[in-house]
């Protein structure tokens, strides 16, 4: 286990999650990828362990891990199966939205079942015309009786095909830009007017299904998270957390790739020598190990601030930007070390690369992270 600042209880739990990931998740990872099986097939086993509530405090039915411990847990799961980690962290985005933006009554109604894993969440923010700038969203929520009529569409929404609840961001005041965005709970299995398209066929994370959604549905006032116009601020706080979790997924997969490269380098013989004896290959491994350590250090900087009340938008952007870019380089070197075998599906390297590619795009692309960092410097 990598040394992170955790309590003894957290360390024991993370060790249990690592065993679960090795024994249960990893053996199914290739099949999930090959057949594009929805990673919800692991949902019951994960619920039994309380994994759906890792990010939630105990008074909402969760385990209440610290930022560093949550990072370590997500990293372990991602190293075994990126698709499963994607499903889990998408659920965290939904529950974090409630934790950060909803009143006590709505939290009490939704979060205990979400923590128990009997209710799966989705975070519906991205739209076809509003990806990198959510303030440009076109989905609206207009007053209708004692509630709201939500109309519009979302795209690339993880978990939507199985979600029991969605946190949907919509414009309650289209003329107010970001200040006109509000957030709502939509329960697609209980109401009419929510249409979910077939899951997208993606390059990687094939078991972390993403969907397009169309809305023409009504929700009551009590399903609104906080006051009107507070949705954008909530979403940005949620994404600060989500970017740390993207970094955890990236370093988890990168760690698996580096370990595979080290093992293969020790075993592969050329002219009577293990290829690990060659200095050029040693330097490749050293570069990868250094980049992995640096990515983890940046992520820990952000993870230790999570939940403290201190703003950490720049730190989460540092972590997400560096980890997603470095992990790609680490996995690419690992594939190169495997030579032609790395390019085959007999080894997991090509899957690691495909799974990693999205991390430079979602939760804000690398270019958006650079913009966030620059704004922080120039503020």
């Amino acid at each position: 286990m990598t040394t992170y600042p955790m309590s003894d209880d957290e360390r024991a739990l993370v060790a249990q999650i690592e065993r679960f990931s090795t024994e249960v998740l990893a053996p199914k990872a290739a099949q999930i990828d090959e057949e594009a099986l929805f990673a919800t097939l692991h949902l019951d086993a994960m619920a039994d362990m309380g994994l759906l509530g890792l990010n939630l405090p105990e008074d909402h039915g969760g385990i209440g891990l610290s930022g560093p411990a949550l990072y370590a847990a997500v990293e372990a799961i991602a190293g075994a199966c990126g698709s499963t980690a994607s499903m889990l962290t998408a659920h965290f985005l939904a529950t974090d939205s409630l934790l950060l933006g909803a009143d006590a009554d709505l939290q009490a109604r939704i979060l205990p079942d979400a923590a128990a894993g009997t209710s799966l969440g989705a975070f519906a923010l991205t739209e076809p015309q509003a990806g990198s700038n959510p303030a440009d969203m076109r989905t609206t929520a207009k007053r209708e009786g004692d509630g709201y009529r939500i109309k519009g569409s979302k795209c690339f929404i993880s978990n939507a095909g199985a979600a029991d609840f969605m946190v949907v961001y919509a414009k309650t005041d289209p003329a107010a830009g970001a200040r006109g965005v509000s957030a709502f709970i939509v329960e697609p299995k209980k109401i009419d007017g929510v249409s979910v398209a077939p899951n997208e066929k993606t390059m990687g994370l094939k078991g972390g299904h993403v969907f397009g959604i169309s809305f023409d549905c009504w929700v009551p006032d009590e399903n609104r998270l906080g006051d009107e116009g507070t949705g954008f601020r909530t979403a940005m706080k949620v994404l600060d957390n989500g970017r740390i979790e993207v970094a955890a997924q990236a370093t988890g997969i990168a760690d698996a790739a580096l370990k595979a490269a080290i093992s293969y380098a020790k075993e592969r013989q050329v002219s009577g020598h293990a290829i690990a004896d060659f200095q050029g290959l040693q330097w490749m491994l050293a570069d990868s190990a250094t980049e992995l350590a640096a990515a983890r250090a940046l992520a820990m900087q952000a993870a230790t601030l999570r939940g403290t009340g201190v703003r950490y938008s720049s730190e989460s952007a540092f972590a997400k930007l560096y980890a997603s870019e470095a992990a790609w380089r680490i996995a690419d070197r690992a594939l190169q070390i495997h030579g032609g075998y790395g390019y085959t599906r007999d080894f997991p390297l090509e899957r690691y690369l495909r799974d990693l590619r999205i991390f430079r795009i979602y939760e804000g692309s690398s270019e958006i992270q650079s913009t966030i960092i620059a704004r922080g410097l120039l503020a």
Side-chain angles (χ1 to χ4, degrees):
M1 183 191 302
T2 302
T3 301
Y4 294 137
M6 296 182 278
S7 69
D8 290 342
D9 287 345
E10 288 178 331
R11 199 170 299 282
L13 176 59
V14 171
Q16 182 183 0
I17 292 170
E18 288 178 342
R19 289 193 297 272
F20 170 77
S21 298
T22 299
E23 296 170 5
V24 177
L25 301 183
K28 283 277 190 181
Q31 182 185 2
I32 285 176
D33 176 72
E34 189 71 29
E35 300 178 21
L37 301 175
F38 203 169
T40 48
L41 63 88
H42 290 306
L43 200 55
D44 289 345
M46 295 170 73
D48 288 344
M49 292 183 64
L51 301 189
L52 280 295
L54 291 177
N55 65 316
L56 295 174
E58 292 181 6
D59 58 1
H60 287 305
I63 291 177
L65 289 185
S66 66
L70 182 59
Y71 183 94
V74 172
E75 187 180 57
I77 292 166
C81 179
S83 290
T84 302
S86 177
M87 176 198 70
L88 178 63
T89 55
H91 178 75
F92 290 167
L93 293 175
T95 54
D96 273 353
S97 296
L98 282 149
L99 194 62
L100 295 169
D103 61 26
D105 289 341
L106 188 55
Q107 290 175 348
R109 177 156 66 88
I110 302 294
L111 290 181
D113 286 343
T118 56
S119 177
L120 184 66
F123 177 79
L125 179 67
T126 302
E127 297 185 6
Q129 304 299 323
S132 295
N133 187 8
D136 287 342
M137 69 176 60
R138 298 180 181 178
T139 298
T140 59
K142 294 183 179 180
R143 269 286 176 191
E144 186 175 298
D146 56 354
Y148 296 83
R149 171 69 55 178
I150 298 176
K151 289 187 177 183
S153 61
K154 302 290 182 178
C155 63
F156 304 128
I157 307 304
S158 297
N159 295 352
D164 298 283
F165 69 96
M166 302 174 181
V167 180
V168 179
Y169 291 83
K171 287 280 187 72
T172 45
D173 183 356
R179 292 183 177 88
V181 177
S182 303
F184 301 87
I185 291 294
V186 173
E187 298 170 279
K189 297 178 182 179
K190 296 182 179 180
I191 63 172
D192 295 326
V194 181
S195 178
V196 180
N199 64 287
E200 301 282 356
K201 295 180 180 179
T202 55
M203 171 182 171
L205 297 180
K206 293 183 178 181
H209 290 183
V210 297
F211 305 83
I213 318 170
S214 296
F215 298 95
D216 186 354
C217 63
W218 182 88
V219 297
D221 281 346
E222 55 264 30
N223 279 31
R224 191 186 67 232
L225 278 66
D227 295 332
E228 283 192 9
T230 61
F232 186 81
R233 291 200 302 275
T234 297
M236 294 305 101
K237 292 177 183 177
V238 170
L239 289 174
D240 282 344
N241 288 345
R243 286 164 183 152
I244 301 172
E245 289 156 12
V246 171
Q249 293 175 75
T251 58
I253 296 173
D255 181 69
L258 178 56
K259 287 175 178 174
I262 293 169
S263 177
Y264 187 80
K266 289 178 177 179
E267 295 173 2
R268 177 77 165 109
Q269 297 282 320
V270 174
S271 301
H273 293 274
I275 60 174
D277 293 340
F278 298 114
Q279 189 178 60
L281 187 142
Q282 292 173 2
W283 288 352
M284 293 171 70
L285 294 174
D287 285 346
S288 291
T290 301
E291 289 195 286
L292 180 57
R296 283 169 162 163
L298 284 171
M300 278 299 106
Q301 177 180 249
T304 55
L305 294 174
R306 180 173 181 164
T308 64
V310 175
R311 187 176 181 182
Y312 50 97
S313 296
S314 292
E315 287 81 2
S316 67
F318 290 151
K320 197 268 186 186
L321 173 62
Y322 189 82
S324 61
E325 297 285 347
W328 174 266
R329 294 190 293 269
I330 292 165
D332 187 59
R333 290 189 199 105
L335 191 152
Q336 188 74 9
I337 287 168
H338 281 72
Y341 290 108
Y343 198 65
T344 71
R345 294 195 176 187
D346 294 331
F347 289 79
L349 281 306
E350 59 86 30
R351 168 164 53 88
Y352 293 158
L353 277 169
R354 287 187 288 104
D355 286 352
L356 283 166
R357 187 60 183 87
I358 190 60
F359 297 149
R360 294 157 65 192
I361 299 173
Y362 73 6
E363 310 286 30
S365 66
S366 291
E367 292 76 17
I368 291 297
Q369 303 314 306
S370 295
T371 299
I372 292 169
I373 293 165
R375 286 175 179 169
L377 294 172
L378 299 170

